Amino acid sequence: VVTDIDDARLARAAEIVTVEEAARCGVKLMYVNTASVDDANAYLRSLADGGFNDVFVFAPVRGVVETGDAILARDGCLNFFAGPTDPTFSANFNFYNVHYGATHIVGTSGGNTDDMKESIEMMTTGRINPAGMITHVGGLDSCAETTKALPTIKGAKKLVYTHISMPMTAIEDFAARAEECRGTELGELFSDLA
């Protein structure tokens, strides 16, 4: 179950990993906008027969952490992979459930060499396709401004080609940019990447 409160982000996630593709891999996948249900915690728990064994929190938002805690099953683990920038970030955690329900929390950041090797193996065998995470492409000359503007640029990963000069451009805008830059090296580049 993948949750968010933004339909556009959920739609993008559903494009990257479709319900049908997950089913082919033996996984029942659901996308849920928790802002559209009356009691998100109860609804989510109902989807997992009363609670989830594993909950991954990818946003350092107090309410998201607290929801993650609330939907854990007995002996469930909340994996906090959100990397807060605020050193005072905190959220309520049900310690009654820690004691009597054996729930627990772990924080993870990055991976080790074995994780990287496994990721590369999964990419080369086609089990995962990281290209779906990329929403923007630019040249090396766009890197500094893009980095400074990251909080305001929608989308996911930004890919920088070090050997070209190109403004950071959303992939969905390539066709329009190719027309706009027709007859130029940049226009050819947009056409090739589209």
Side-chain angles (χ1 to χ4, degrees), residues 43-66:
Y43 178 71
L44 292 170
R45 288 181 69 83
S46 76
L47 298 177
D49 296 323
F52 292 86
N53 295 326
D54 297 288
V55 174
F56 293 83
V57 173
F58 294 107
V61 176
R62 181 181 179 146
V64 175
V65 173
E66 291 173 357

Side-chain angles (χ1 to χ4, degrees), residues 113-181:
T113 305
D114 288 336
D115 295 329
M116 289 183 219
K117 289 177 182 176
E118 182 181 6
S119 296
I120 291 169
E121 185 273 329
M122 292 174 79
M123 286 182 259
T124 57
T125 60
R127 289 177 54 206
I128 61 172
N129 181 359
M133 296 185 299
I134 299 168
T135 59
H136 293 72
V137 176
L140 185 58
D141 54 333
S142 71
C143 191
E145 288 304 315
T146 299
T147 301
K148 290 193 290 186
L150 277 177
T152 62
I153 301 174
K154 297 285 186 188
K157 302 296 182 188
K158 283 60 174 172
L159 176 65
V160 173
Y161 285 105
T162 59
H163 63 290
I164 63 171
S165 174
M166 176 179 156
M168 188 57 64
T169 305
I171 291 173
E172 64 189 29
D173 295 339
F174 277 5
R177 295 299 306 271
E179 184 63 27
E180 169 190 325
C181 302

Side-chain angles (χ1 to χ4, degrees), residues 9-19 21 29 31 129-135 156:
R9 284 193 300 252
L10 285 169
R12 174 70 179 145
E15 287 175 7
I16 295 170
V17 180
T18 66
V19 171
E21 177 63 24
L29 176 60
Y31 292 97
N129 181 359
M133 296 185 299
I134 299 168
T135 59

Side-chain angles (χ1 to χ4, degrees), residues 79-84 106-112 115-116:
N79 187 325
F80 184 65
F81 191 81
V106 64
T108 55
S109 179
N112 59 32
D115 295 329
M116 289 183 219

Side-chain angles (χ1 to χ4, degrees), residues 68-102:
D69 173 42
I71 63 174
L72 287 172
R74 176 170 182 72
D75 196 28
C77 180
L78 186 149
N79 187 325
F80 184 65
F81 191 81
T85 56
D86 177 0
T88 65
F89 176 77
S90 61
N92 289 326
F93 201 79
N94 186 323
F95 281 89
Y96 180 90
N97 288 342
V98 168
H99 185 81
Y100 293 104

